[in-house]
Amino acid sequence: MTRIGRIGLLAPSSNTTIEPEFYRALPPDVTLHTARLYLTQIATDSIENVVRDLETQACNLASADVDVIVLGATAPSLIKGVGYDREVIQRIEKATGKRATTASTALLEALHHVDAKKIVLGSAFDDKVNGIARNFLEANGFQVLDAQGLGLVDNLVVGRLDASTARDLARRIDRPDAQAIALACTNWKSMEVIDALEQELGKPVISTTQACIWAALRIIGRTEGIPGYGRLLRELAPA
């Protein structure tokens, strides 16, 4: 019997977008299994509290014998600055014995993978959280030429946005000297517009959900490219 790959996803409780985007992109023989961490507002105090139940929910996923556990939450995995994403990974791996990654870790690795050092950042976040995300990227060695957010705090509102909002913001923040465009927030629809944006703008577009899928597949050893969601997944390569 062929072994089915299993991805365990830790999603914010009010997130309504990341799972559908995962489902559409994953190969038929890779399944998604989700646990939820309480979050309704993308505000600093709420973001910091997301990981209170991290070990409990991660162990619930581990009981399904998943191959990897992904914290599919961007701001909660970078809220305390450089290195915090690695601390979160260590907590998950220590509690479960499973390999793990986070949305912000996956974003960093994806940007390195496409050899982008100068980037622009678009997000659904307000100025404060967007600034924290910018500082995190800069502390990890990237030059952020511009960073703009949609100014939203209510996560349900973010989940109701059309993907055209990601497309329009990406166009607005793009600069000729930017080597890639990063789109941050796993509850913000974006994957369906990545291919067209890359063709139009002539550079990689990396969303945090796309990067989560990419990183998880690499960790479980998948190498077959997935068309329709940008260069990152189309040219999937082993970790």
Side-chain angles (χ1 to χ4, degrees), residues 168-236:
D168 294 345
L169 184 56
R171 287 170 171 167
R172 188 160 70 245
I173 62 175
D174 183 37
R175 291 173 42 160
D177 49 345
Q179 297 168 314
I181 297 169
L183 299 175
C185 184
T186 60
N187 202 29
W188 185 27
K189 296 182 187 74
S190 61
M191 285 186 56
E192 66 192 69
V193 299
I194 289 175
D195 250 356
L197 276 171
E198 289 187 338
Q199 293 174 30
E200 176 186 345
L201 304 177
K203 63 193 63 177
V205 177
I206 310 295
S207 83
T208 44
T209 297
Q210 173 210 42
C212 283
I213 296 168
W214 172 80
L217 289 173
R218 294 177 84 216
I219 287 172
I220 67 175
R222 297 307 177 106
T223 60
E224 186 175 349
I226 300 170
Y229 303 102
R231 169 184 165 184
L232 191 69
L233 287 173
R234 186 172 61 251
E235 301 176 0
L236 186 66

Short mmCIF file of all heavy atoms in Angstrom, two decimals, residues 168-236:
data_model
loop_
_atom_site.label_atom_id
_atom_site.label_comp_id
_atom_site.label_asym_id
_atom_site.label_seq_id
_atom_site.Cartn_x
_atom_site.Cartn_y
_atom_site.Cartn_z
N ASP A 168 -4.00 43.66 -6.31
CA ASP A 168 -3.89 45.11 -6.43
C ASP A 168 -2.79 45.66 -5.53
O ASP A 168 -2.05 46.58 -5.93
CB ASP A 168 -5.23 45.76 -6.07
CG ASP A 168 -6.33 45.42 -7.07
OD1 ASP A 168 -6.00 44.93 -8.17
OD2 ASP A 168 -7.51 45.61 -6.73
N LEU A 169 -2.66 45.13 -4.32
CA LEU A 169 -1.62 45.62 -3.43
C LEU A 169 -0.23 45.24 -3.95
O LEU A 169 0.71 46.03 -3.88
CB LEU A 169 -1.81 45.07 -2.01
CG LEU A 169 -0.83 45.59 -0.97
CD1 LEU A 169 -0.85 47.12 -0.91
CD2 LEU A 169 -1.11 44.99 0.41
N ALA A 170 -0.10 44.03 -4.49
CA ALA A 170 1.18 43.62 -5.06
C ALA A 170 1.60 44.56 -6.19
O ALA A 170 2.76 44.97 -6.29
CB ALA A 170 1.09 42.18 -5.57
N ARG A 171 0.68 44.92 -7.04
CA ARG A 171 0.98 45.85 -8.13
C ARG A 171 1.40 47.21 -7.58
O ARG A 171 2.32 47.86 -8.11
CB ARG A 171 -0.24 46.03 -9.02
CG ARG A 171 -0.57 44.85 -9.92
CD ARG A 171 -1.92 45.07 -10.56
NE ARG A 171 -2.23 44.10 -11.60
CZ ARG A 171 -3.44 43.94 -12.12
NH1 ARG A 171 -4.45 44.72 -11.71
NH2 ARG A 171 -3.65 43.04 -13.06
N ARG A 172 0.73 47.64 -6.51
CA ARG A 172 1.00 48.97 -5.97
C ARG A 172 2.37 49.07 -5.31
O ARG A 172 3.04 50.10 -5.40
CB ARG A 172 -0.10 49.33 -4.97
CG ARG A 172 -0.05 50.77 -4.48
CD ARG A 172 -1.37 51.22 -3.92
NE ARG A 172 -1.72 50.58 -2.65
CZ ARG A 172 -2.75 49.76 -2.48
NH1 ARG A 172 -3.55 49.46 -3.50
NH2 ARG A 172 -3.00 49.24 -1.30
N ILE A 173 2.80 48.02 -4.64
CA ILE A 173 4.07 48.09 -3.90
C ILE A 173 5.27 47.69 -4.74
O ILE A 173 6.42 47.92 -4.34
CB ILE A 173 4.03 47.22 -2.63
CG1 ILE A 173 3.82 45.74 -2.97
CG2 ILE A 173 2.96 47.72 -1.66
CD1 ILE A 173 3.88 44.81 -1.77
N ASP A 174 5.04 47.09 -5.90
CA ASP A 174 6.17 46.63 -6.71
C ASP A 174 7.08 47.79 -7.12
O ASP A 174 6.61 48.89 -7.40
CB ASP A 174 5.67 45.90 -7.95
CG ASP A 174 6.81 45.32 -8.78
OD1 ASP A 174 7.80 44.85 -8.18
OD2 ASP A 174 6.71 45.35 -10.01
N ARG A 175 8.38 47.49 -7.13
CA ARG A 175 9.39 48.44 -7.58
C ARG A 175 10.34 47.74 -8.54
O ARG A 175 10.55 46.53 -8.41
CB ARG A 175 10.16 49.00 -6.38
CG ARG A 175 9.33 49.90 -5.50
CD ARG A 175 10.05 50.33 -4.24
NE ARG A 175 11.45 50.69 -4.46
CZ ARG A 175 12.16 51.45 -3.63
NH1 ARG A 175 11.59 51.92 -2.52
NH2 ARG A 175 13.41 51.74 -3.88
N PRO A 176 10.92 48.47 -9.46
CA PRO A 176 11.81 47.82 -10.44
C PRO A 176 12.97 47.09 -9.79
O PRO A 176 13.43 46.06 -10.31
CB PRO A 176 12.31 49.00 -11.29
CG PRO A 176 11.25 50.04 -11.16
CD PRO A 176 10.71 49.90 -9.76
N ASP A 177 13.47 47.60 -8.65
CA ASP A 177 14.63 46.98 -8.01
C ASP A 177 14.25 45.88 -7.02
O ASP A 177 15.13 45.24 -6.44
CB ASP A 177 15.50 48.02 -7.32
CG ASP A 177 14.73 48.97 -6.42
OD1 ASP A 177 13.48 49.01 -6.55
OD2 ASP A 177 15.34 49.66 -5.60
N ALA A 178 12.96 45.63 -6.83
CA ALA A 178 12.54 44.53 -5.95
C ALA A 178 12.72 43.21 -6.68
O ALA A 178 12.30 43.05 -7.82
CB ALA A 178 11.08 44.71 -5.55
N GLN A 179 13.36 42.25 -6.00
CA GLN A 179 13.62 40.94 -6.60
C GLN A 179 12.49 39.94 -6.35
O GLN A 179 12.44 38.89 -6.98
CB GLN A 179 14.94 40.39 -6.07
CG GLN A 179 16.13 41.26 -6.45
CD GLN A 179 17.38 40.89 -5.69
OE1 GLN A 179 17.36 40.69 -4.48
NE2 GLN A 179 18.49 40.77 -6.41
N ALA A 180 11.61 40.26 -5.43
CA ALA A 180 10.45 39.41 -5.13
C ALA A 180 9.43 40.21 -4.37
O ALA A 180 9.74 41.23 -3.74
CB ALA A 180 10.86 38.17 -4.34
N ILE A 181 8.19 39.74 -4.42
CA ILE A 181 7.09 40.34 -3.67
C ILE A 181 6.60 39.32 -2.64
O ILE A 181 6.30 38.18 -2.99
CB ILE A 181 5.93 40.73 -4.61
CG1 ILE A 181 6.39 41.80 -5.60
CG2 ILE A 181 4.72 41.22 -3.81
CD1 ILE A 181 5.41 42.06 -6.72
N ALA A 182 6.57 39.72 -1.38
CA ALA A 182 6.07 38.86 -0.31
C ALA A 182 4.68 39.33 0.10
O ALA A 182 4.46 40.52 0.33
CB ALA A 182 7.01 38.90 0.89
N LEU A 183 3.75 38.37 0.18
CA LEU A 183 2.38 38.66 0.61
C LEU A 183 2.12 37.89 1.89
O LEU A 183 2.10 36.66 1.89
CB LEU A 183 1.39 38.25 -0.49
CG LEU A 183 1.54 38.96 -1.83
CD1 LEU A 183 0.59 38.39 -2.87
CD2 LEU A 183 1.32 40.47 -1.67
N ALA A 184 1.94 38.61 2.98
CA ALA A 184 1.88 37.99 4.31
C ALA A 184 0.48 38.01 4.88
O ALA A 184 -0.19 39.05 4.87
CB ALA A 184 2.84 38.70 5.26
N CYS A 185 0.04 36.89 5.38
CA CYS A 185 -1.21 36.64 6.09
C CYS A 185 -1.87 35.41 5.48
O CYS A 185 -2.28 35.43 4.31
CB CYS A 185 -2.19 37.82 6.06
SG CYS A 185 -3.68 37.48 7.07
N THR A 186 -1.96 34.36 6.26
CA THR A 186 -2.49 33.09 5.73
C THR A 186 -4.01 33.07 5.65
O THR A 186 -4.58 32.10 5.14
CB THR A 186 -2.02 31.91 6.59
OG1 THR A 186 -2.50 32.08 7.94
CG2 THR A 186 -0.50 31.78 6.58
N ASN A 187 -4.68 34.12 6.10
CA ASN A 187 -6.14 34.19 5.95
C ASN A 187 -6.55 35.12 4.81
O ASN A 187 -7.72 35.43 4.65
CB ASN A 187 -6.81 34.66 7.25
CG ASN A 187 -8.27 34.25 7.32
OD1 ASN A 187 -8.67 33.23 6.74
ND2 ASN A 187 -9.08 35.03 8.01
N TRP A 188 -5.58 35.54 4.03
CA TRP A 188 -5.78 36.48 2.93
C TRP A 188 -5.66 35.73 1.62
O TRP A 188 -4.60 35.22 1.28
CB TRP A 188 -4.74 37.58 3.04
CG TRP A 188 -4.82 38.72 2.09
CD1 TRP A 188 -5.92 39.21 1.46
CD2 TRP A 188 -3.71 39.55 1.68
NE1 TRP A 188 -5.59 40.30 0.68
CE2 TRP A 188 -4.23 40.53 0.80
CE3 TRP A 188 -2.35 39.56 1.98
CZ2 TRP A 188 -3.43 41.50 0.21
CZ3 TRP A 188 -1.55 40.52 1.40
CH2 TRP A 188 -2.08 41.48 0.53
N LYS A 189 -6.75 35.62 0.87
CA LYS A 189 -6.72 34.89 -0.40
C LYS A 189 -5.70 35.53 -1.33
O LYS A 189 -5.73 36.73 -1.56
CB LYS A 189 -8.09 34.91 -1.06
CG LYS A 189 -9.19 34.20 -0.30
CD LYS A 189 -10.48 34.24 -1.08
CE LYS A 189 -11.66 33.70 -0.27
NZ LYS A 189 -12.08 34.64 0.78
N SER A 190 -4.82 34.70 -1.88
CA SER A 190 -3.79 35.23 -2.77
C SER A 190 -3.30 34.23 -3.80
O SER A 190 -2.83 34.61 -4.87
CB SER A 190 -2.58 35.73 -1.95
OG SER A 190 -2.01 34.66 -1.22
N MET A 191 -3.38 32.93 -3.49
CA MET A 191 -2.71 31.95 -4.32
C MET A 191 -3.22 31.93 -5.76
O MET A 191 -2.46 31.70 -6.69
CB MET A 191 -2.78 30.56 -3.69
CG MET A 191 -1.83 30.42 -2.52
SD MET A 191 -1.76 28.76 -1.84
CE MET A 191 -1.31 27.77 -3.28
N GLU A 192 -4.49 32.22 -5.94
CA GLU A 192 -5.06 32.14 -7.30
C GLU A 192 -4.56 33.25 -8.22
O GLU A 192 -4.74 33.16 -9.44
CB GLU A 192 -6.58 32.16 -7.22
CG GLU A 192 -7.17 33.45 -6.72
CD GLU A 192 -8.65 33.31 -6.39
OE1 GLU A 192 -8.98 32.62 -5.42
OE2 GLU A 192 -9.47 33.90 -7.12
N VAL A 193 -3.95 34.30 -7.66
CA VAL A 193 -3.48 35.40 -8.51
C VAL A 193 -1.96 35.41 -8.67
O VAL A 193 -1.42 36.25 -9.39
CB VAL A 193 -3.95 36.77 -7.95
CG1 VAL A 193 -5.46 36.83 -7.91
CG2 VAL A 193 -3.35 37.06 -6.58
N ILE A 194 -1.26 34.47 -8.02
CA ILE A 194 0.20 34.51 -8.03
C ILE A 194 0.76 34.29 -9.43
O ILE A 194 1.65 35.02 -9.88
CB ILE A 194 0.77 33.47 -7.03
CG1 ILE A 194 0.51 33.94 -5.60
CG2 ILE A 194 2.27 33.27 -7.26
CD1 ILE A 194 0.92 32.94 -4.53
N ASP A 195 0.27 33.29 -10.14
CA ASP A 195 0.79 33.01 -11.48
C ASP A 195 0.68 34.23 -12.39
O ASP A 195 1.65 34.60 -13.08
CB ASP A 195 0.01 31.84 -12.10
CG ASP A 195 0.85 30.57 -12.23
OD1 ASP A 195 2.06 30.61 -11.90
OD2 ASP A 195 0.30 29.54 -12.64
N ALA A 196 -0.48 34.85 -12.42
CA ALA A 196 -0.69 36.00 -13.30
C ALA A 196 0.19 37.18 -12.88
O ALA A 196 0.72 37.90 -13.73
CB ALA A 196 -2.16 36.41 -13.28
N LEU A 197 0.35 37.36 -11.57
CA LEU A 197 1.20 38.45 -11.09
C LEU A 197 2.66 38.24 -11.52
O LEU A 197 3.33 39.18 -11.94
CB LEU A 197 1.13 38.54 -9.56
CG LEU A 197 -0.03 39.34 -8.97
CD1 LEU A 197 -0.08 39.16 -7.46
CD2 LEU A 197 0.10 40.83 -9.32
N GLU A 198 3.14 37.00 -11.41
CA GLU A 198 4.52 36.74 -11.80
C GLU A 198 4.73 36.99 -13.28
O GLU A 198 5.77 37.53 -13.68
CB GLU A 198 4.89 35.30 -11.43
CG GLU A 198 5.04 35.09 -9.92
CD GLU A 198 5.58 33.72 -9.57
OE1 GLU A 198 5.46 32.79 -10.40
OE2 GLU A 198 6.11 33.57 -8.45
N GLN A 199 3.77 36.62 -14.09
CA GLN A 199 3.89 36.86 -15.52
C GLN A 199 3.86 38.36 -15.84
O GLN A 199 4.60 38.85 -16.69
CB GLN A 199 2.77 36.14 -16.27
CG GLN A 199 2.87 34.62 -16.20
CD GLN A 199 1.67 33.94 -16.83
OE1 GLN A 199 1.06 34.46 -17.75
NE2 GLN A 199 1.32 32.76 -16.33
N GLU A 200 3.00 39.07 -15.11
CA GLU A 200 2.87 40.51 -15.35
C GLU A 200 4.07 41.30 -14.86
O GLU A 200 4.56 42.21 -15.55
CB GLU A 200 1.60 41.02 -14.65
CG GLU A 200 1.40 42.52 -14.74
CD GLU A 200 0.22 43.01 -13.91
OE1 GLU A 200 -0.61 42.17 -13.50
OE2 GLU A 200 0.14 44.22 -13.68
N LEU A 201 4.58 40.95 -13.66
CA LEU A 201 5.61 41.75 -13.01
C LEU A 201 7.02 41.21 -13.24
O LEU A 201 8.00 41.91 -12.95
CB LEU A 201 5.32 41.86 -11.51
CG LEU A 201 3.94 42.43 -11.16
CD1 LEU A 201 3.72 42.43 -9.65
CD2 LEU A 201 3.78 43.84 -11.72
N GLY A 202 7.11 39.98 -13.70
CA GLY A 202 8.41 39.43 -14.06
C GLY A 202 9.30 39.09 -12.89
O GLY A 202 10.53 39.17 -13.00
N LYS A 203 8.71 38.69 -11.77
CA LYS A 203 9.50 38.32 -10.59
C LYS A 203 8.69 37.38 -9.71
O LYS A 203 7.45 37.31 -9.84
CB LYS A 203 9.90 39.56 -9.80
CG LYS A 203 8.74 40.35 -9.22
CD LYS A 203 9.18 41.73 -8.72
CE LYS A 203 9.70 42.59 -9.82
NZ LYS A 203 10.07 43.95 -9.39
N PRO A 204 9.35 36.64 -8.81
CA PRO A 204 8.62 35.73 -7.93
C PRO A 204 7.67 36.48 -6.99
O PRO A 204 7.99 37.56 -6.49
CB PRO A 204 9.73 35.03 -7.14
CG PRO A 204 10.97 35.23 -7.93
CD PRO A 204 10.81 36.55 -8.62
N VAL A 205 6.53 35.88 -6.77
CA VAL A 205 5.57 36.36 -5.78
C VAL A 205 5.39 35.23 -4.77
O VAL A 205 5.02 34.12 -5.14
CB VAL A 205 4.22 36.73 -6.42
CG1 VAL A 205 3.22 37.16 -5.35
CG2 VAL A 205 4.42 37.84 -7.46
N ILE A 206 5.69 35.53 -3.51
CA ILE A 206 5.65 34.52 -2.45
C ILE A 206 4.58 34.89 -1.44
O ILE A 206 4.66 35.93 -0.79
CB ILE A 206 7.00 34.41 -1.72
CG1 ILE A 206 8.18 34.28 -2.70
CG2 ILE A 206 6.98 33.27 -0.73
CD1 ILE A 206 8.18 33.03 -3.51
N SER A 207 3.56 34.05 -1.31
CA SER A 207 2.58 34.26 -0.24
C SER A 207 2.90 33.31 0.91
O SER A 207 3.53 32.26 0.71
CB SER A 207 1.15 34.01 -0.74
OG SER A 207 0.83 32.63 -0.70
N THR A 208 2.46 33.67 2.10
CA THR A 208 2.80 32.82 3.24
C THR A 208 2.08 31.47 3.18
O THR A 208 2.65 30.46 3.60
CB THR A 208 2.50 33.54 4.56
OG1 THR A 208 1.23 34.19 4.50
CG2 THR A 208 3.57 34.57 4.88
N THR A 209 0.88 31.41 2.64
CA THR A 209 0.22 30.11 2.49
C THR A 209 0.95 29.26 1.46
O THR A 209 1.21 28.07 1.68
CB THR A 209 -1.25 30.29 2.10
OG1 THR A 209 -1.93 30.98 3.14
CG2 THR A 209 -1.92 28.94 1.87
N GLN A 210 1.28 29.84 0.33
CA GLN A 210 2.05 29.14 -0.70
C GLN A 210 3.37 28.63 -0.12
O GLN A 210 3.77 27.48 -0.36
CB GLN A 210 2.31 30.10 -1.86
CG GLN A 210 3.23 29.60 -2.96
CD GLN A 210 3.98 30.76 -3.59
OE1 GLN A 210 4.44 31.65 -2.90
NE2 GLN A 210 4.09 30.74 -4.91
N ALA A 211 4.05 29.46 0.67
CA ALA A 211 5.32 29.06 1.26
C ALA A 211 5.13 27.93 2.27
O ALA A 211 5.98 27.03 2.37
CB ALA A 211 5.99 30.26 1.93
N CYS A 212 4.03 27.94 3.02
CA CYS A 212 3.73 26.85 3.96
C CYS A 212 3.57 25.53 3.23
O CYS A 212 4.11 24.49 3.66
CB CYS A 212 2.46 27.15 4.74
SG CYS A 212 2.63 28.35 6.07
N ILE A 213 2.83 25.54 2.14
CA ILE A 213 2.62 24.32 1.35
C ILE A 213 3.96 23.83 0.80
O ILE A 213 4.30 22.64 0.90
CB ILE A 213 1.63 24.58 0.20
CG1 ILE A 213 0.25 24.94 0.78
CG2 ILE A 213 1.53 23.37 -0.72
CD1 ILE A 213 -0.71 25.49 -0.26
N TRP A 214 4.73 24.74 0.24
CA TRP A 214 6.05 24.42 -0.32
C TRP A 214 6.97 23.80 0.73
O TRP A 214 7.58 22.76 0.50
CB TRP A 214 6.64 25.71 -0.88
CG TRP A 214 8.06 25.65 -1.34
CD1 TRP A 214 8.53 25.17 -2.52
CD2 TRP A 214 9.20 26.14 -0.63
NE1 TRP A 214 9.89 25.32 -2.61
CE2 TRP A 214 10.34 25.92 -1.45
CE3 TRP A 214 9.37 26.75 0.61
CZ2 TRP A 214 11.63 26.28 -1.07
CZ3 TRP A 214 10.66 27.12 1.00
CH2 TRP A 214 11.77 26.88 0.17
N ALA A 215 7.05 24.44 1.88
CA ALA A 215 7.95 23.95 2.94
C ALA A 215 7.51 22.59 3.46
O ALA A 215 8.35 21.70 3.68
CB ALA A 215 8.01 24.97 4.07
N ALA A 216 6.20 22.41 3.65
CA ALA A 216 5.70 21.14 4.17
C ALA A 216 5.98 20.00 3.19
O ALA A 216 6.41 18.91 3.59
CB ALA A 216 4.21 21.24 4.46
N LEU A 217 5.74 20.25 1.91
CA LEU A 217 5.98 19.21 0.90
C LEU A 217 7.46 18.86 0.82
O LEU A 217 7.83 17.69 0.67
CB LEU A 217 5.46 19.66 -0.46
CG LEU A 217 3.93 19.70 -0.60
CD1 LEU A 217 3.54 20.33 -1.93
CD2 LEU A 217 3.32 18.31 -0.47
N ARG A 218 8.32 19.85 0.92
CA ARG A 218 9.76 19.58 0.89
C ARG A 218 10.18 18.74 2.10
O ARG A 218 10.99 17.82 1.97
CB ARG A 218 10.54 20.89 0.87
CG ARG A 218 10.36 21.71 -0.39
CD ARG A 218 11.12 23.01 -0.29
NE ARG A 218 12.51 22.83 -0.67
CZ ARG A 218 13.53 23.46 -0.10
NH1 ARG A 218 13.32 24.27 0.91
NH2 ARG A 218 14.77 23.27 -0.53
N ILE A 219 9.62 19.05 3.25
CA ILE A 219 9.99 18.32 4.46
C ILE A 219 9.61 16.85 4.35
O ILE A 219 10.33 15.96 4.81
CB ILE A 219 9.36 18.98 5.70
CG1 ILE A 219 10.08 20.30 6.02
CG2 ILE A 219 9.42 18.05 6.91
CD1 ILE A 219 9.42 21.13 7.10
N ILE A 220 8.46 16.56 3.72
CA ILE A 220 8.05 15.16 3.61
C ILE A 220 8.61 14.48 2.36
O ILE A 220 8.26 13.35 2.05
CB ILE A 220 6.52 15.01 3.67
CG1 ILE A 220 5.83 15.63 2.45
CG2 ILE A 220 5.98 15.62 4.96
CD1 ILE A 220 4.32 15.39 2.44
N GLY A 221 9.48 15.21 1.64
CA GLY A 221 10.22 14.59 0.55
C GLY A 221 9.58 14.64 -0.81
O GLY A 221 10.01 13.93 -1.73
N ARG A 222 8.59 15.49 -1.00
CA ARG A 222 7.94 15.59 -2.31
C ARG A 222 8.74 16.51 -3.23
O ARG A 222 9.21 17.56 -2.81
CB ARG A 222 6.52 16.10 -2.17
CG ARG A 222 5.61 15.17 -1.35
CD ARG A 222 5.66 13.75 -1.92
NE ARG A 222 4.88 12.82 -1.14
CZ ARG A 222 3.71 12.33 -1.52
NH1 ARG A 222 3.20 12.68 -2.68
NH2 ARG A 222 3.08 11.47 -0.76
N THR A 223 8.87 16.10 -4.48
CA THR A 223 9.67 16.87 -5.43
C THR A 223 8.94 17.19 -6.73
O THR A 223 9.47 17.93 -7.56
CB THR A 223 10.97 16.11 -5.77
OG1 THR A 223 10.62 14.84 -6.35
CG2 THR A 223 11.82 15.89 -4.54
N GLU A 224 7.76 16.64 -6.92
CA GLU A 224 7.03 16.89 -8.17
C GLU A 224 6.35 18.25 -8.13
O GLU A 224 5.60 18.56 -7.20
CB GLU A 224 5.99 15.81 -8.41
CG GLU A 224 5.30 15.92 -9.75
CD GLU A 224 4.36 14.76 -10.02
OE1 GLU A 224 4.40 13.77 -9.26
OE2 GLU A 224 3.58 14.85 -10.99
N GLY A 225 6.63 19.08 -9.13
CA GLY A 225 6.10 20.42 -9.15
C GLY A 225 4.59 20.48 -9.25
O GLY A 225 3.94 19.56 -9.76
N ILE A 226 4.01 21.58 -8.76
CA ILE A 226 2.57 21.80 -8.77
C ILE A 226 2.30 23.06 -9.59
O ILE A 226 2.68 24.16 -9.19
CB ILE A 226 2.03 21.97 -7.34
CG1 ILE A 226 2.31 20.71 -6.52
CG2 ILE A 226 0.53 22.28 -7.36
CD1 ILE A 226 2.04 20.88 -5.05
N PRO A 227 1.66 22.94 -10.75
CA PRO A 227 1.40 24.11 -11.59
C PRO A 227 0.24 24.95 -11.07
O PRO A 227 -0.62 24.46 -10.33
CB PRO A 227 1.06 23.49 -12.94
CG PRO A 227 0.45 22.16 -12.60
CD PRO A 227 1.18 21.68 -11.37
N GLY A 228 0.24 26.21 -11.47
CA GLY A 228 -0.91 27.07 -11.21
C GLY A 228 -0.79 28.00 -10.04
O GLY A 228 -1.67 28.86 -9.83
N TYR A 229 0.31 27.88 -9.26
CA TYR A 229 0.42 28.69 -8.04
C TYR A 229 1.78 29.35 -7.91
O TYR A 229 2.28 29.55 -6.82
CB TYR A 229 0.13 27.82 -6.81
CG TYR A 229 -1.22 27.15 -6.87
CD1 TYR A 229 -1.34 25.81 -7.22
CD2 TYR A 229 -2.39 27.87 -6.62
CE1 TYR A 229 -2.58 25.21 -7.29
CE2 TYR A 229 -3.63 27.27 -6.70
CZ TYR A 229 -3.73 25.93 -7.04
OH TYR A 229 -4.95 25.34 -7.12
N GLY A 230 2.38 29.67 -9.03
CA GLY A 230 3.63 30.40 -9.01
C GLY A 230 4.87 29.53 -9.11
O GLY A 230 4.81 28.31 -9.01
N ARG A 231 5.98 30.21 -9.33
CA ARG A 231 7.27 29.53 -9.53
C ARG A 231 7.64 28.63 -8.36
O ARG A 231 8.16 27.54 -8.56
CB ARG A 231 8.35 30.60 -9.75
CG ARG A 231 9.77 30.06 -9.71
CD ARG A 231 10.78 31.18 -9.82
NE ARG A 231 12.11 30.70 -9.44
CZ ARG A 231 13.17 31.50 -9.36
NH1 ARG A 231 13.08 32.78 -9.63
NH2 ARG A 231 14.35 31.00 -8.99
N LEU A 232 7.38 29.08 -7.15
CA LEU A 232 7.82 28.34 -5.97
C LEU A 232 7.32 26.91 -5.97
O LEU A 232 8.08 25.96 -5.76
CB LEU A 232 7.36 29.07 -4.70
CG LEU A 232 7.98 28.57 -3.39
CD1 LEU A 232 9.46 28.90 -3.32
CD2 LEU A 232 7.24 29.20 -2.20
N LEU A 233 6.02 26.72 -6.22
CA LEU A 233 5.46 25.38 -6.24
C LEU A 233 5.65 24.68 -7.57
O LEU A 233 5.77 23.44 -7.62
CB LEU A 233 3.97 25.44 -5.89
CG LEU A 233 3.65 25.72 -4.42
CD1 LEU A 233 2.15 25.93 -4.23
CD2 LEU A 233 4.15 24.60 -3.53
N ARG A 234 5.73 25.42 -8.64
CA ARG A 234 5.92 24.82 -9.96
C ARG A 234 7.29 24.15 -10.06
O ARG A 234 7.45 23.12 -10.70
CB ARG A 234 5.78 25.90 -11.04
CG ARG A 234 5.81 25.37 -12.46
CD ARG A 234 5.48 26.44 -13.46
NE ARG A 234 6.42 27.56 -13.44
CZ ARG A 234 6.13 28.79 -12.99
NH1 ARG A 234 4.92 29.05 -12.52
NH2 ARG A 234 7.03 29.75 -13.01
N GLU A 235 8.30 24.75 -9.40
CA GLU A 235 9.66 24.23 -9.45
C GLU A 235 10.04 23.60 -8.11
O GLU A 235 11.17 23.73 -7.64
CB GLU A 235 10.63 25.34 -9.81
CG GLU A 235 10.34 25.99 -11.17
CD GLU A 235 11.24 27.15 -11.49
OE1 GLU A 235 12.12 27.47 -10.66
OE2 GLU A 235 11.08 27.74 -12.58
N LEU A 236 9.10 22.90 -7.50
CA LEU A 236 9.32 22.28 -6.19
C LEU A 236 10.58 21.42 -6.21
O LEU A 236 10.76 20.57 -7.08
CB LEU A 236 8.11 21.43 -5.82
CG LEU A 236 8.09 20.83 -4.42
CD1 LEU A 236 7.99 21.92 -3.36
CD2 LEU A 236 6.92 19.85 -4.28
#
